[in-house]
């Protein structure tokens, strides 16, 4: 048996070293939240052992029910474990800074050179195919840490099916936690499952229309202000429950719906966010740049990330109490399993969207298989950026 690495004491890190550690995570944060969380887990749980795996799972389950990008919130929380609130602030800033700077550059390049160039379609699509492979590998890695028994596997599968059926994300999360917590009382667990199915059916029948489809006509051509962009970002940041993609319709309603940006440009920003090493919500920075230049980019970014900083910085002690409460361990384990199902559903949905844009299926399948083989078998911090670069080149050559 391979001996476990010696635990490190994160409190001994200098503030500069802490900032640089999370800056490195941010620079390598390709592949979205699944890949980002897997990278952080590997470094700080498996290698440096800042916290043990079970506690990490519980922490992740708690963060999943808070608004904001969960990988970023995880960095803030782990930074606070190391060096208190200033550590949390530096860890969060370090993690988001590479993506922020790159998206500011991408926004400038887009406005100046790229907008409307059809020749780059294959490049973006090739990268998205490779990112799907990265997400799949990371999803399997996280699932191996969380799915410990058959009931957790059933919860994950049920969550996957519920999410694909457009059931609100909070229903499988709550139901998964309660079912696993009541596993020793089968009748109670069964009653919870039946109640969850009923809630899911009711939620589907009473579904509120997509806010992006209910744009207010009177808001069109509203004046662009930094405050309005900040509020648009804040609304998205407060409504990113269940994944960053839930922020998209709200930001779209406050920007596309006001006539500030068109849908094609907005979707280009979402695609770029999937390429860069950053939380997906960094697409808001692109939207802000196109709409209001550097000032608009920073205003909407500040609003988007404010909840991710605030919840951990303000409620750290209470979150830690929840994580460490033995009575909640089974509840959180069930929530974590449901989260695996949500992640799997997100992978499926992203795959469907990407596949719909592919005009050459065989090269696309080959590119996905090669990227998956590379990310599955090769280790090292350089692997993900190398795969991204190779996929961009392949997408251009193959004109997918």
């Amino acid at each position: 048996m391979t001996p476990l690495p010696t635990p490190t004491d994160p409190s001994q890190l200098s503030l500069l070293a802490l900032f640089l550690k999370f800056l490195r995570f941010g620079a390598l944060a390709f592949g979205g939240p699944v890949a980002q969380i897997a990278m952080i887990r590997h470094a700080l749980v498996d290698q440096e052992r800042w916290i043990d795996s079970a506690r990490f799972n519980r922490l992740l389950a708690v963060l999943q029910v808070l608004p904001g990008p969960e990988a970023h919130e995880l960095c803030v929380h782990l930074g606070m474990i190391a060096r208190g609130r200033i550590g949390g602030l530096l860890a969060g800033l370090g993690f988001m800074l590479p993506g922020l700077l790159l998206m500011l550059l991408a926004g400038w390049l887009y406005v100046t050179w790229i907008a409307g160039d059809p020749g780059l379609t294959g490049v973006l699509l090739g990268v998205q195919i490779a990112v799907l492979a990265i997400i799949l590998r990371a999803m399997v890695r996280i699932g191996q840490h969380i799915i410990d028994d058959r009931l957790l596997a059933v919860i994950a599968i049920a969550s996957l099916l519920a999410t694909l059926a457009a059931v609100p994300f909070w229903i499988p999360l709550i139901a998964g936690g309660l079912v696993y917590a009541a596993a020793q009382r089968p009748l109670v667990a069964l009653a919870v499952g039946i109640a969850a199915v009923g809630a899911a059916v009711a939620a589907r029948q009473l579904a509120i229309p997509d806010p992006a489809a209910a744009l207010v006509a009177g808001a069109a051509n509203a004046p662009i202000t930094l405050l309005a962009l900040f509020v648009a970002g804040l609304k998205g940041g407060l409504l990113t429950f269940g994944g960053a993609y839930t922020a998209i319709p709200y930001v779209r309603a406050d920007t596309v719906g006001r006539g500030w940006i068109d849908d094609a440009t907005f979707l280009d920003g979402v695609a770029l966010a999937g390429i860069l090493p950053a939380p997906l919500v960094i697409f808001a920075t692109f939207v802000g740049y196109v709409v209001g230049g550097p000032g608009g980019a920073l205003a909407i970014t500040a609003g988007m990330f404010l909840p991710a900083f605030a919840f951990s910085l303000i409620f750290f002690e209470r979150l830690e109490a929840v994580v460490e409460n033995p009575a909640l361990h089974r509840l959180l384990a069930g929530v974590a399993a449901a989260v695996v199902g949500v992640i799997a559903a997100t992978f499926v949905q992203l795959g469907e969207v990407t596949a719909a844009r592919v005009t050459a299926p065989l090269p696309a399948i080959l590119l996905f298989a090669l990227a998956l083989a590379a990310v599955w078998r090769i280790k090292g911090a350089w692997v993900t950026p190398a795969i991204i670069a190779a996929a961009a080149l392949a997408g251009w050559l193959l004109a997918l």
Side-chain angles (χ1 to χ4, degrees), residues 5 11 37 50 106 119 151 155 164 187 208 221 229 278 297 312 396:
S11 66
I37 291 169
W50 282 25
L151 180 55
I155 291 171
L164 291 177
L187 291 179
I208 299 174
N221 301 314
L229 285 169
S312 281
W396 178 64

Side-chain angles (χ1 to χ4, degrees), residues 6-180:
T6 303
T8 59
D9 184 358
S11 66
Q12 300 302 310
L13 281 175
S14 68
L15 292 177
L16 177 60
L18 181 70
F19 174 77
L20 292 176
K21 179 181 286 290
F22 284 90
L23 184 69
R24 177 179 177 274
F25 288 152
L28 298 173
F30 295 96
V34 181
Q36 292 159 10
I37 291 169
M39 174 184 62
I40 295 166
R41 172 194 283 277
H42 180 67
L44 300 186
V45 178
D46 298 338
Q47 293 185 327
E48 299 187 29
R49 298 178 64 195
W50 282 25
I51 61 176
D52 61 51
S53 180
R55 182 183 174 192
F56 183 92
N57 291 345
R58 296 193 298 270
L59 173 60
L60 182 59
V62 171
L63 295 179
Q64 284 288 340
V65 299
L66 295 178
E70 56 269 35
H72 182 269
E73 289 176 325
L74 186 63
C75 288
V76 174
H77 198 89
L78 290 170
M80 291 186 66
I81 289 175
R83 294 299 306 271
R85 283 180 168 78
I86 184 65
L89 181 62
L90 290 175
L93 289 174
F95 186 71
M96 71 177 288
L97 188 59
L100 172 61
L101 295 177
L102 288 172
M103 187 56 94
L104 288 172
L105 176 61
W108 177 79
L109 289 172
Y110 188 91
V111 170
T112 308
W113 303 102
I114 299 175
D117 185 350
L120 293 175
T121 300
V123 173
L124 294 176
L125 188 54
V127 169
Q128 290 173 0
I129 291 171
V131 167
L132 283 174
I134 294 168
I135 292 174
L136 178 59
R137 176 66 183 109
M139 179 187 72
V140 172
R141 184 180 299 161
I142 288 179
Q144 289 172 336
H145 286 280
I146 292 175
I147 308 301
D148 291 331
D149 57 41
R150 290 182 180 178
L151 180 55
L152 289 174
V154 169
I155 291 171
I157 293 171
S159 178
L160 163 65
L161 297 176
T163 304
L164 291 177
V167 173
F169 84 98
W170 54 269
I171 293 178
L173 293 189
I174 293 174
L178 292 177
V179 165
Y180 198 64

Side-chain angles (χ1 to χ4, degrees), residues 91-386:
L93 289 174
F95 186 71
M96 71 177 288
L97 188 59
L100 172 61
L101 295 177
L102 288 172
M103 187 56 94
L104 288 172
L105 176 61
W108 177 79
L109 289 172
Y110 188 91
V111 170
T112 308
W113 303 102
I114 299 175
D117 185 350
L120 293 175
T121 300
V123 173
L124 294 176
L125 188 54
V127 169
Q128 290 173 0
I129 291 171
V131 167
L132 283 174
I134 294 168
I135 292 174
L136 178 59
R137 176 66 183 109
M139 179 187 72
V140 172
R141 184 180 299 161
I142 288 179
Q144 289 172 336
H145 286 280
I146 292 175
I147 308 301
D148 291 331
D149 57 41
R150 290 182 180 178
L151 180 55
L152 289 174
V154 169
I155 291 171
I157 293 171
S159 178
L160 163 65
L161 297 176
T163 304
L164 291 177
V167 173
F169 84 98
W170 54 269
I171 293 178
L173 293 189
I174 293 174
L178 292 177
V179 165
Y180 198 64
Q184 304 303 320
R185 292 179 288 178
L187 291 179
V188 175
L190 179 61
V192 170
I194 293 173
V197 172
V201 172
R204 288 294 307 277
Q205 291 178 344
L206 302 175
I208 299 174
D210 184 340
L215 303 176
V216 180
N221 301 314
I224 300 170
T225 65
L226 295 182
L227 178 60
L229 285 169
F230 173 80
V231 172
L234 183 62
K235 184 187 297 183
L238 288 171
L239 295 172
T240 51
F241 293 99
Y245 282 89
T246 58
I248 290 175
Y250 299 100
V251 177
R252 178 177 178 268
D254 281 345
T255 54
V256 177
R258 292 175 175 176
W260 294 350
I261 187 173
D262 59 41
D263 264 321
T265 303
F266 183 89
L267 291 175
D268 285 339
V270 176
L272 285 169
I275 296 171
L276 297 180
L280 181 70
V281 294
I282 206 71
F283 79 85
T285 302
F286 175 88
V287 173
Y289 193 98
V290 174
V291 169
L298 294 177
I300 199 170
T301 303
M304 180 65 74
F305 280 88
L306 181 60
F309 278 102
F311 279 100
S312 281
L313 292 176
I314 296 173
F315 300 111
F316 175 79
E317 288 80 6
R318 293 187 179 181
L319 290 177
E320 281 289 293
V322 171
V323 171
E324 291 302 315
N325 187 340
L328 297 176
H329 288 182
R330 287 188 64 86
L331 177 71
L332 294 177
V335 172
V339 167
V340 173
V342 173
I343 293 171
T346 300
F347 168 78
V348 172
Q349 291 165 343
L350 288 175
E352 291 176 344
V353 171
T354 303
R357 299 183 56 211
V358 170
T359 57
L362 288 179
I365 293 171
L366 178 61
L367 177 58
F368 176 81
L370 290 174
L372 184 61
V375 76
W376 207 286
R377 299 185 63 86
I378 305 174
K379 296 181 179 180
W382 57 272
V383 173
T384 296

